[in-house]
Amino acid sequence: MTDLPADAVCIGESMAMLVPEDASPITDRSRFVVRVGGAESNVAVSLARLGHRSRWVSALGADPFGRIVLDDVAGAGVDTSFVVTDDAAPTGIYAKDPQGPSTRVHYYRRGSAASRMDVTGIDPAAAEGAGVVHLSGTTPALSESCRRLTRAVVADRSLGTASVSFDVNYRPGLWSVAEAAGELAAIARRADIVFVGRDEAATLWGTDTAEDVRDLLPEPAVLVVKDGATGASVYGPDGTTWADALRVPVVETVGAGDAFAAGWLSAWLRGLGPECSLRLGHLVASRAVQIVGDCPEVPPRDEIDRYLGLQEGRA
């Protein structure tokens, strides 16, 4: 990897992912392929594919699944030099059970190497000179030490002056609404950029509309409220901006939120406005829902710029 600072640093657990070859529901006749998935590494991979210098920070077990995860993420062009290996804990595993748009996910991650991460184990040099540090609400759900890590990075800015991006990313399989609601709101209020689904905000905080979510979270400079296949809103310094989602055939939706965040952050890192950020988020997410894996291939930069209506040579 280059010695230049990363544009984006993504911190969180990634796991080996078992996926039925035929993208059908799991049965005793299913044949599986091993892929890799995890919210933050998904964002890092898509950012790398979008032409950014991205870095993933995490912990993996000293096992074959850990090697698979590390090789896969590094092979996508992501800097993995700050990933540590834990000889005393395994790499997490999960299985996708495709059910059309309502894919189920079964996790086997308790006690994983990543769940043992703490802020004291992350070298501040990982984020030196970075434009943004990205985390998600999955991390504080893993363990008390991961909760401390998330609070330190978001609230205390333990990794420096980079803008902090936080995807609420509530996972009911990891913790209850009663456990998660207050913690995730407190973390979101200290972030600079927040992504949240309108449906998960309703589950966590009882909000009905995107405007209700902004009223609940007025502190972040930028709040992105996603409304599924309908579209998304940005609340920020330029007011409120809405963009429709793209209508495409859906294979399964796991990973679409990470792809959206990567597309949005890519445009933001390039200094583009909220409309371009939303449109690029939707474009990358639309690619994710058409595949079984979590990290879609993305169009080349010149094709993206034409889609966004940018002049040739724009940064």
Side-chain angles (χ1 to χ4, degrees):
M1 293 295 295
T2 177
D3 291 331
L4 293 171
D7 297 323
V9 177
C10 303
I11 305 171
E13 179 173 38
S14 289
M15 297 167 286
M17 174 173 59
L18 306 180
V19 183
E21 281 186 333
D22 58 2
S24 63
I26 295 174
T27 71
D28 59 354
R29 296 176 180 272
S30 295
R31 295 171 62 89
F32 294 89
V33 294
V34 180
R35 293 200 173 101
V36 172
E40 294 81 8
S41 70
N42 289 345
V43 173
V45 167
S46 287
L47 282 170
R49 290 176 175 171
L50 287 162
H52 300 278
R53 297 187 301 274
S54 65
R55 175 174 293 145
W56 174 56
V57 178
S58 189
L60 295 166
D63 51 41
F65 292 114
R67 291 194 296 274
I68 289 170
V69 172
L70 192 65
D71 290 348
D72 185 88
V73 177
V78 176
D79 180 2
T80 59
S81 58
F82 287 86
V83 175
V84 301
T85 299
D86 188 335
D87 294 330
T91 303
I93 298 173
Y94 72 106
K96 277 191 175 183
D97 189 6
Q99 309 282 336
S102 58
T103 297
R104 297 183 62 190
V105 178
H106 305 278
Y107 294 106
Y108 308 92
R109 70 199 305 179
R110 188 179 300 275
S112 68
S115 74
R116 292 153 57 100
M117 289 191 299
D118 202 331
V119 66
T120 58
I122 295 183
D123 186 344
E128 187 173 340
V132 66
V133 173
H134 178 77
L135 305 92
S136 87
T138 300
T139 300
L142 297 179
S143 65
E144 184 56 38
S145 67
C146 284
R147 200 165 300 181
R148 290 193 300 268
L149 163 62
T150 308
R151 291 169 182 164
V153 173
V154 179
D156 301 334
R157 304 298 165 114
S158 60
L159 294 183
T161 59
S163 295
V164 172
S165 166
F166 181 68
D167 188 341
V168 171
N169 203 22
Y170 173 58
R171 292 291 177 260
L174 296 177
W175 51 350
S176 68
V177 169
E179 293 176 293
E183 183 71 25
L184 291 174
I187 294 169
R189 289 187 175 112
R190 302 300 296 272
D192 300 303
I193 301 165
V194 173
F195 299 93
V196 64
R198 191 173 69 82
D199 55 348
E200 66 181 338
T203 297
L204 287 167
W205 307 311
T207 52
D208 292 324
T209 66
E211 289 77 11
D212 291 341
V213 183
R214 185 52 163 171
D215 289 342
L216 180 79
L217 302 174
E219 296 88 351
V222 177
L223 173 68
V224 183
V225 183
K226 302 170 291 181
D227 196 0
T230 305
S233 300
V234 170
Y235 297 85
D238 299 319
T240 305
T241 304
W242 165 270
D244 292 334
L246 299 175
R247 296 188 178 276
V248 296
V250 176
V251 174
E252 57 99 350
T253 59
V254 176
D258 305 328
F260 179 93
W264 196 97
L265 288 170
S266 174
W268 179 83
L269 285 165
R270 296 176 61 190
L272 305 181
E275 183 178 356
C276 283
S277 297
L278 287 172
R279 292 181 64 204
L280 186 50
H282 288 317
L283 177 64
V284 182
S286 74
R287 299 295 181 97
V289 300
Q290 297 182 73
I291 62 171
V292 177
D294 285 2
C295 298
E297 295 296 331
V298 299
R301 176 67 68 89
D302 59 349
E303 184 177 329
I304 287 173
D305 286 355
R306 285 195 297 273
Y307 167 74
L308 296 177
L310 300 179
Q311 294 180 354
E312 188 175 352
R314 181 69 183 266

